Amino acid sequence: MTVTIHAAGHPSARVGIEPVSILRPFTWLWRGAGDLVHCGAASVAHGLLMVLLGWMLLLMLGNHPYFVVAAISGFLLFAPVMTTGHVELSRRRAERDAVGFNESLSPLVNNHGPLLRFGAVLAALTLAWFAASEAMLRTVFAVQAPSIAETYYIGFLDNAHREAIVAYVAAGGLLALVVLAISVVTVPLIVDRHLRAGEAIRASLAAAPADLARESDGKQEVLVYAGVRPGEPLHAGLQAALDEALAKLPIPKVMSYQLEDGTTTVQFVRPAHRLVALHGHAVVPVHALGLEAGTKTFGHRFHCAGEVAIHSADTWVEQLRTEGKVIASFDQRRERIAALLTRAAEERQARVLMPEELLDEVTALVEWPVVYESGFEAEFLDVPAECLVLTMQRNQKYFALTDAQGKLLNRFLLVSHIETADPAAIVAGNARVVRARLADAKFFYDQDR
C-alpha cells in the first residue's frame, strides 16, 4: 500500500507500504539475525531496554495476576514504537551508513514528541482494557478475574468460567482491533514524514479498504490512500527537515569545537559559524549546531571583506556570487571548472584528462574556482604515464594534459580557490609538491625495472 498525505491540500512525498506474503516475516527474522551479528552491541542494548520494560510491568502487576495477560498484550502493542531503534539499525546497515547505538536513536530523538503522544494513546487504551475487563467480569459474570493458572490451564476446561474467559479474551481482541486501526501507518508517518501524532492516527484510521485506490508502478499493483491534513507552521516543518538532514549526513568522523560563548560544545565535520534561513525577507526562527538563524553569513575567506547581509531568499545566490565571491550551486561550479579546464587546454593545443570522479571531488573543494597551469621536469616522463596520471589525480587533484596523439605532457592544470593577477607563488608551490610525489614514483619504478 502507498499512502499519500496532502498538506494544506498539496501532496507530500508518498510513504510506501509493501504488501507481503505470510512467509515474509521469516525473511525479516533472518535479516534481523544478520543485524545482530554486525551490530551486536547496539542490538543487544535495545533488547535489554525491552526486557527492562517487561520486567517493570511484571513488577508493578505482581500482586494482580489477572492483569498479566493484558500486560503481555499491551506490551506487544507497544512493539512498533519500541522497535524503532532496531528498524533504524537495519536501515542504516542496508544503506551502509554509520551504525551504532547513538545513531539508532535518531528516529526517537528527532520524533520523540509525537512518538510519546502515540505511546500515551496506546497506554490509555491498555488501561481502559484493564478496567473494562475487570468491571465486566465482576458485574456481568459475577466472578473474580481469572488467575494466571485459570487463564492458561484450567479456565477453558471449567464450564463455570468458560463464558467469562471467552468474554475476557474477546475484550482483548476488540482492543487489538482498535489498536491495529490506529497504528497501521502511524509510526512510519511519524518517523518518515514527521507528522504529529493526531494527524498520523487520523490518517491510519482513514486508511480503510473502501478508501484505497489501485495503481500500478509498472512492476506491481499497489493500494493508494490519499488524504488531506492541516498545514503546520513553516518554522516547525523546516526545523524537522533540518534536523533530519543533519542526522543523515554521511560523516564518518566529526570534530568537537566550542562556540563563541566559550562553553557550548558542538560536534560537526567542520565548525559552522552562521545559519541563514529566510522566507522572503523574513527570518525563519530555526536553530542548528548551536546557531540561531539570522540574515548574515560569510563569503570567500580571502576575496570577501567581511559579513554578507542577505536581503531575501530570492537574492542570496546572486549576493554570495557578487559580494561574497562564492558560487553556491554545485552544478554551476562544476560547469565553470569544466569550461575553464577545456579552454585552458585548448589554448595550449592540448587535451585535458578530466575524469568525472575527480571533477566532482574538486568541485566540492572550492567556492570560487580558478584554473592555473603548472608542470614538472621532463625526466619524470620516463615513468609510465599511468603512474604519473594516477599520482597527479589521486594525490594532488591535478588534471593531466596530453598532446593531440594522447602522449602525456609534463604540464598539468590545477584548480585553485584563489584568483590573483600573479599566480606565480601558487604555480611554483604546486610544482614543488608534485615534484616530490613524482620523485617517489620514479624511485620505485627504477628499483623495480
Side-chain angles (χ1 to χ4, degrees):
M1 183 176 70
T2 301
V3 178
T4 303
I5 301 299
H6 295 266
H10 300 286
S12 65
R14 292 186 170 189
V15 181
I17 303 176
E18 179 186 354
V20 298
S21 68
I22 194 172
L23 298 178
R24 186 68 175 273
F26 293 101
T27 303
W28 297 336
L29 288 174
W30 178 254
R31 293 179 180 175
D35 294 337
L36 179 61
V37 172
H38 290 86
C39 318
S43 297
V44 170
H46 281 287
L48 290 176
L49 287 176
M50 297 189 72
V51 169
L52 178 62
L53 177 60
W55 178 79
M56 292 175 60
L57 283 173
L58 292 177
L59 183 65
M60 292 187 325
L61 302 175
N63 296 327
H64 306 281
Y66 49 85
F67 279 170
V68 171
V69 178
I72 294 174
S73 302
F75 180 77
L76 294 177
L77 295 178
F78 284 91
V81 177
M82 293 296 297
T83 57
T84 303
H86 283 122
V87 173
E88 182 67 7
L89 282 175
S90 298
R91 185 192 66 78
R92 285 178 169 269
R93 180 175 167 239
E95 297 178 359
R96 298 184 179 180
D97 288 341
V99 177
F101 183 74
N102 291 336
E103 289 80 6
S104 70
L105 296 178
S106 59
L108 294 171
V109 173
N110 295 335
N111 306 280
H112 63 278
L115 287 175
L116 285 175
R117 286 186 281 274
F118 177 56
V121 172
L122 295 180
L125 289 172
T126 305
L127 291 175
W129 182 26
F130 292 172
S133 300
E134 175 70 6
M136 177 184 63
L137 293 176
R138 287 183 180 276
T139 59
V140 178
F141 297 99
V143 297
Q144 294 291 329
S147 65
I148 298 177
E150 289 174 330
T151 300
Y152 287 108
Y153 301 107
I154 304 174
F156 283 99
L157 301 178
D158 187 347
N159 292 328
H161 293 288
R162 183 172 300 168
E163 293 180 354
I165 296 298
V166 170
Y168 183 66
V169 173
L174 179 62
L175 173 68
L177 287 176
V178 173
V179 172
L180 177 64
I182 71 170
S183 61
V184 171
V185 294
T186 299
V187 173
L189 287 178
I190 291 175
V191 173
D192 295 332
R193 290 296 176 267
H194 308 293
L195 265 66
R196 291 188 287 268
E199 296 168 353
I201 291 173
R202 286 195 294 271
S204 184
L205 289 172
D211 299 323
L212 300 178
R214 293 180 179 272
E215 290 185 6
S216 176
D217 61 0
K219 297 181 179 179
Q220 62 178 349
E221 192 176 62
V222 295
L223 298 176
V224 176
Y225 165 72
V228 177
R229 72 180 180 93
E232 60 180 348
L234 174 61
H235 71 273
L238 181 59
Q239 185 66 65
L242 181 59
D243 292 340
E244 181 182 12
L246 289 174
K248 289 184 176 180
L249 286 176
I251 305 174
K253 188 175 183 180
V254 298
M255 66 176 294
S256 299
Y257 60 92
Q258 285 189 327
L259 299 182
E260 294 179 355
D261 60 14
T263 58
T264 304
T265 300
V266 178
Q267 291 186 328
F268 197 51
V269 61
R270 288 291 185 273
H273 301 287
R274 292 290 187 274
L275 175 63
V276 177
L278 296 173
H279 180 246
H281 295 276
V283 174
V284 182
V286 296
H287 56 84
L289 304 175
L291 303 172
E292 299 293 333
T295 61
K296 295 181 179 180
T297 186
F298 290 116
H300 195 286
R301 183 177 182 183
F302 301 107
H303 296 320
C304 182
E307 293 181 334
V308 178
I310 305 299
H311 304 317
S312 75
D314 296 325
T315 64
W316 74 276
V317 173
E318 187 59 26
Q319 280 191 263
L320 281 181
R321 176 188 287 271
T322 56
E323 300 176 36
K325 295 298 180 182
V326 171
I327 301 175
S329 170
F330 180 91
D331 292 336
Q332 291 180 6
R333 291 200 309 275
R334 194 179 191 277
E335 291 176 4
R336 175 186 170 107
I337 293 172
L340 290 174
L341 290 170
T342 301
R343 186 174 66 187
E346 290 175 349
E347 291 174 352
R348 293 157 179 79
Q349 290 79 47
R351 296 178 181 176
V352 59
L353 301 182
M354 196 180 347
E356 296 292 322
E357 297 81 3
L358 179 60
L359 188 57
D360 287 340
E361 185 175 4
V362 171
T363 300
L365 294 175
V366 295
E367 297 174 324
W368 190 257
V370 184
V371 170
Y372 299 119
E373 179 192 12
S374 187
F376 53 88
E377 288 76 3
E379 65 185 66
F380 291 118
L381 294 176
D382 294 338
V383 179
E386 293 80 5
C387 296
L388 301 179
V389 171
L390 182 65
T391 298
M392 284 189 283
Q393 291 180 350
R394 178 171 296 181
N395 300 119
Q396 301 305 126
K397 317 307 176 189
Y398 296 155
F399 294 86
L401 292 172
T402 67
D403 61 17
Q405 289 72 41
K407 183 179 179 180
L408 185 66
L409 302 175
N410 64 326
R411 311 298 296 170
F412 60 86
L413 299 177
L414 62 99
V415 180
S416 175
H417 192 55
I418 300 176
E419 184 175 15
T420 176
D422 182 13
I426 298 175
V427 171
N430 282 273
R432 182 173 60 253
V433 172
V434 77
R435 185 182 301 118
R437 292 282 189 180
L438 298 183
D440 290 340
K442 188 176 186 302
F443 171 80
F444 288 111
Y445 174 71
D446 291 339
Q447 289 293 316
D448 295 339
R449 188 163 50 176

